[in-house]
Amino acid sequence: MAYTDHRTLRRVLHREVAGTIGLLADEHDFRAMRRYDSFVFDDHTTYLKHMEAVLRTRALQGGHTTVALFDPEDYAEYCAETGLDPDSHTSRTKFTAALASTGSTVPYDGRPLADLLPTLVDEAVRRATWEYAAALLARLGACASCGEDLGRAAFTRASHLLVRILDTAPPGERHLVCSVSGPPETLVAVLRAEDISGRMELDESEALEFTTVLAVGLATESPGGLVMRTSKPGSPDRIHGWRLRAHGLEPLTAGEVFDAYCTDAESGDLISPESNVDYCEPPDLGEGPGTAHRH
């Protein structure tokens, strides 16, 4: 009886242990891991099938599991820095544990891996975008004339503009996209703000990433834009847009918003406008054009 009680208690504790599983999302990463003898899988499809079975079993047992993107290059660097043998399941376990606190993860919620993988990849892209944008701001350094931190000043300005955009937006759920062009690639950030009983709720991580990308555009005077779509039951969606300018935003006219949405970016051909959508000039943010940091 005591032995059974011990087993029962341990099962209860097992349900309270959270875990992280590192996942090789694509064939390229999977092939990179096959160079290690201790990695026993030889087929990516079979690997994903068994991984999904493990996740489902943990969920059925009441365990909470997060899934992290396992990058073989990052893993090799981690082993080199820590002196671990990369051809060891123990080293892979330690690397996955590190991903739990530093990498991109999503909770396993019972979805098939085919549906979960795009979410995991999107999360990794979001994190990489934020890290790159934050590094760009940090490299701006201080103003040679007044000593002000240029990256921090741009972030403060971007935060102010985002608050003004959300405060002046029509009622409803808001979906914002900010894009900043420049070498080596375009930075894109997305922010969703839900309207719950007249109270706006948004994800803090998304807001941080969005503000950082917007700050990069303001600080570097790179070509870019910001669009906002508001949705409210029973009403057409409303789409507004701005051009990024040095330390500020320039509103697009309704016609310019229409042209932007109804023109194919690659071919230049016209695209039929969406039904039940109004292309509008944005609300007045209540301030004049921004002033760039110049001396």
Side-chain angles (χ1 to χ4, degrees):
M1 184 66 178
Y3 176 70
T4 302
D5 288 343
H6 287 162
R7 292 184 59 185
T8 301
L9 290 173
R10 287 171 184 171
R11 281 198 299 268
V12 171
L13 288 175
H14 180 73
R15 290 198 298 266
E16 298 189 20
V17 175
T20 302
I21 289 179
L23 183 66
L24 297 163
D26 56 38
E27 287 277 2
H28 175 76
D29 288 346
F30 181 82
R31 287 195 299 270
M33 291 302 295
R34 288 195 62 199
R35 67 177 180 264
Y36 302 121
D37 292 337
S38 60
F39 186 76
V40 298
F41 290 95
D42 56 12
D43 176 76
H44 190 233
T45 301
T46 301
Y47 162 82
L48 290 178
K49 179 180 177 181
H50 284 284
M51 183 67 77
E52 188 161 14
V54 170
L55 289 167
R56 286 180 175 172
T57 299
R58 285 181 57 85
L60 288 173
Q61 293 173 345
H64 174 78
T65 309
T66 56
V67 183
L69 208 58
F70 194 106
D71 186 300
E73 292 185 5
D74 290 346
Y75 171 63
E77 291 178 5
Y78 173 82
C79 289
E81 292 173 357
T82 57
L84 294 174
D85 176 12
D87 195 359
S88 165
H89 68 87
T90 302
S91 299
R92 289 194 291 274
T93 300
K94 290 181 178 179
F95 175 68
T96 301
L99 287 178
S101 58
T102 63
S104 302
T105 63
V106 295
Y108 177 69
D109 54 10
R111 279 181 289 170
L113 275 185
D115 296 334
L116 187 68
L117 276 174
T119 302
L120 182 58
V121 172
D122 286 347
E123 180 65 23
V125 171
R126 277 181 49 199
R127 186 181 183 92
T129 297
W130 172 73
E131 290 177 348
Y132 178 71
L136 284 179
L137 290 180
R139 286 202 297 267
L140 293 176
C143 174
S145 298
C146 70
E148 182 177 18
D149 186 304
L150 296 175
R152 184 176 299 129
F155 186 88
T156 300
R157 175 64 175 161
S159 300
H160 171 74
L161 288 171
L162 178 57
V163 169
R164 293 301 303 148
I165 289 170
L166 294 174
D167 284 348
T168 58
E173 294 187 359
R174 296 123 185 174
H175 184 270
L176 294 86
V177 179
C178 179
S179 60
V180 177
S181 301
E185 60 188 23
T186 298
L187 298 177
V188 179
V190 178
L191 176 63
R192 288 167 289 269
E194 298 185 21
D195 190 346
I196 301 178
S197 302
R199 188 182 72 258
M200 183 180 62
E201 291 193 3
L202 47 81
D203 182 273
E204 291 185 3
S205 295
E206 281 191 1
L208 175 61
E209 293 154 7
F210 190 93
T211 305
T212 305
V213 170
L214 176 57
V216 168
L218 298 176
T220 61
E221 302 185 32
S222 301
L226 191 158
V227 294
M228 176 177 64
R229 184 178 191 132
T230 58
S231 304
K232 185 179 180 182
S235 302
D237 285 3
R238 297 169 63 90
I239 298 178
H240 312 282
W242 294 263
R243 290 187 189 89
L244 268 63
R245 289 291 183 258
H247 219 58
L249 297 171
E250 178 182 289
L252 299 178
T253 66
E256 288 173 326
V257 176
F258 178 88
D259 290 342
Y261 265 81
C262 300
T263 303
D264 186 276
E266 295 183 359
S267 67
D269 295 336
L270 294 178
I271 303 172
S272 298
E274 294 183 61
S275 60
N276 203 37
V277 170
D278 291 337
Y279 303 92
C280 314
E281 186 171 342
D284 184 2
L285 299 182
E287 55 181 55
T291 302
H293 188 104
R294 293 193 180 98
H295 293 280

